[in-house]
């Protein structure tokens, strides 16, 4: 499955904004490298989009990358990083990334509905979803797995500064412009816990 240009831009922008803003981790996209999905210590978190159309986003990385991100979020830990803390932080990140993504793809004022994060270890079957690879400055790898093709609702190219990749400020995809609120759209989390759809 190949994402539209708008979805690709939104994913890259949302990932960059979230990891740099929340965890102070700079990331760059892997353009010519096939992302590695074979690591045996991979952890992942997935959020389904329920409205205005069905889709999902998952983020996956190895435990080592996860520990680095947890330490960036919370400072150095006094005890070894627990699996629960790794998953909780990844849930928070994927929620933020998909919310930012949807705000870029859904016209201002239109609502969207998200499910609760679902987490796991290893590499699940994400079907024909698109895999976007990213690298941290120290060589860690992150994956964003998306099926958002039906959620490109703008009807026009996504206007972001530096649409070719890097903006003059050095961040990927630049700013999306003004919006009615902090996200540019209204979102809600669904409290139901359904199976993979």
């Amino acid at each position: 499955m190949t994402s539209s240009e708008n979805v690709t831009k939104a994913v890259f922008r949302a990932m960059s904004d979230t990891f740099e803003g929340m965890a102070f981790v700079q990331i760059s996209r892997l353009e010519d490298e096939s992302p590695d999905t074979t690591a045996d210590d991979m952890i992942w978190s997935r959020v389904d989009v329920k409205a205005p159309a069905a889709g999902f986003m998952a983020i996956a990385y190895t435990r080592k990358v996860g520990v680095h991100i947890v330490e960036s979020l919370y400072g150095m830990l006094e005890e070894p990083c627990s699996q629960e803390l790794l998953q909780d932080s990844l849930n928070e990140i994927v929620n933020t990334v998909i919310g930012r993504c949807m705000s870029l793809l859904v016209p201002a004022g239109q609502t969207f509905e998200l499910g609760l994060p679902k987490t796991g270890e290893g590499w699940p079957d994400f079907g024909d979803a698109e895999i976007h690879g990213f690298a941290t400055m120290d060589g860690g790898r992150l994956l964003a797995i998306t099926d958002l093709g039906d959620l490109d609702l703008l009807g026009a190219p996504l206007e972001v500064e530096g649409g070719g990749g890097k903006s003059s400020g050095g961040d990927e995809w630049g700013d999306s412009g003004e919006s009615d609120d902090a996200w540019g759209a209204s979102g809600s989390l669904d409290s139901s816990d359904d199976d993979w759809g």
Side-chain angles (χ1 to χ4, degrees):
M1 176 188 150
T2 302
S3 295
S4 72
E5 186 177 348
N6 280 353
V7 168
T8 299
K9 285 181 179 180
V11 169
F12 290 147
R13 175 64 199 273
M15 288 286 288
S16 179
D17 284 355
T18 301
F19 280 92
E20 292 179 20
M22 280 180 66
F24 311 105
V25 174
Q26 285 195 321
I27 61 173
S28 59
R29 55 194 174 110
L30 300 174
E31 298 185 56
D32 302 321
E33 231 179 285
S34 294
D36 178 16
T37 61
T38 62
D40 56 5
D41 62 343
M42 190 83 73
I43 59 172
W44 54 266
S45 181
R46 167 181 165 151
V47 171
D48 289 334
V49 181
K50 301 189 173 221
F56 75 85
M57 170 178 272
I59 295 177
Y61 44 66
T62 62
R63 180 178 172 83
K64 180 179 178 183
V65 171
V67 169
H68 174 68
I69 289 169
V70 166
E71 290 174 346
S72 296
L73 284 168
Y74 305 113
M76 294 300 290
L77 304 174
E78 294 180 8
E79 298 178 1
C81 186
S82 68
Q83 190 69 16
E84 182 180 7
L85 185 54
L86 284 172
Q87 292 289 10
D88 287 348
S89 63
L90 183 50
N91 288 345
E92 186 177 345
I93 287 168
V94 76
N95 264 330
T96 304
V97 173
I98 189 59
R100 179 69 174 132
C101 226
M102 292 299 294
S103 75
L104 293 168
L105 294 171
V106 175
Q110 184 171 343
T111 61
F112 55 89
E113 183 181 356
L114 304 176
L116 294 174
K118 300 167 186 168
T119 61
E121 301 175 36
W123 188 255
D125 180 11
F126 287 116
D128 62 352
E130 186 157 15
I131 302 173
H132 308 270
F134 298 86
T136 63
M137 297 296 283
D138 62 356
R141 296 291 193 256
L142 307 106
L143 303 175
I145 304 96
T146 61
D147 182 358
L148 301 174
D150 294 332
L151 289 157
D152 182 358
L153 304 176
L154 297 179
L158 179 61
E159 292 297 326
V160 291
E161 183 182 321
K166 295 275 187 186
S167 72
S168 58
D171 62 332
E172 287 200 320
W173 304 113
D175 196 340
S176 63
E178 295 180 11
S179 61
D180 293 338
D181 58 28
W183 291 107
S186 301
S188 68
L189 283 174
D190 179 18
S191 60
S192 65
D193 188 18
D194 59 351
D195 295 326
W196 291 70

